[in-house]
Amino acid sequence: MTEGRTAQVAPAAAEEGLWRIVAGAQESSVPQVRHAVRDLLRRCGLVGERYEELTDGLLLIVSELVTNVVAHAAVLTPQVTTEVTIGGGQVRVAVEDGHPYRPKAVQSDEGQTGGRGLMLVKSIALEAGGSCDVEQAGDGGKVIWASLPLPPGPRG
């Protein structure tokens, strides 16, 4: 994808409920991917007050993970691929890059301006009752994913 083009959202042919968003590994892709995920959630009916906390958490996670690719892996990753899976009572976002380094969620001291992204992702996921992890990708890179449970349905 070249500079200036927008993120492309496409259903993944192999699995229903799975979408891929591909964008260039550049700063302008962070809001593009975030907006694409927001629009996808809306199209899937995850709108309204019931889904507000879920949506806010997912969008912050997406922003952090795509920013990490742009900031730390763009040299080895010309594109960032974000997958969104909706099903089984959860929404899962996964961001893949081609860099082999597997970051760990670490506490940073108050004087640092960065280094908290993965800890933030982990905190959002765990607070919502979900999970997150870093896994090796087939091409030697990595996939960082987080899943958040869908809110329970209305009672009655």
Side-chain angles (χ1 to χ4, degrees):
M1 181 166 291
T2 60
E3 183 96 25
R5 289 187 59 194
T6 59
Q8 301 295 310
V9 181
E15 190 176 330
E16 189 172 324
L18 172 65
W19 294 266
R20 285 195 181 90
I21 302 164
V22 179
Q26 56 208 29
E27 285 184 32
S28 63
S29 294
V30 177
Q32 290 175 359
V33 173
R34 184 178 56 245
H35 293 150
V37 170
R38 181 198 62 213
D39 294 346
L40 173 62
L41 295 173
R42 286 179 180 165
R43 283 195 312 272
C44 291
L46 303 179
V47 295
E49 189 176 320
R50 176 176 173 212
Y51 297 102
E52 190 173 321
E53 192 172 326
L54 170 75
T55 300
D56 290 347
L58 287 169
L59 296 180
L60 185 52
I61 288 169
V62 166
S63 293
E64 288 295 332
L65 296 181
V66 174
T67 296
N68 285 348
V69 172
V70 170
H72 304 294
V75 171
L76 297 176
T77 306
Q79 293 185 329
V80 58
T81 300
T82 302
E83 288 188 350
V84 178
T85 309
I86 301 172
Q90 67 179 0
V91 179
R92 181 180 189 268
V93 294
V95 177
E96 182 173 351
D97 68 59
H99 200 291
Y101 174 70
R102 291 176 50 136
K104 296 188 181 349
V106 295
Q107 297 283 349
S108 61
D109 67 45
E110 293 178 20
Q112 289 182 304
T113 58
R116 297 183 193 106
L118 194 52
M119 180 56 75
L120 180 61
V121 168
K122 184 176 183 179
S123 295
I124 292 168
L126 294 178
E127 187 175 305
S131 58
C132 72
D133 203 358
V134 180
E135 299 175 352
Q136 185 170 352
D139 64 357
K142 66 186 163 298
V143 176
I144 303 176
W145 61 267
S147 66
L148 302 181
L150 289 169
R155 294 180 185 210

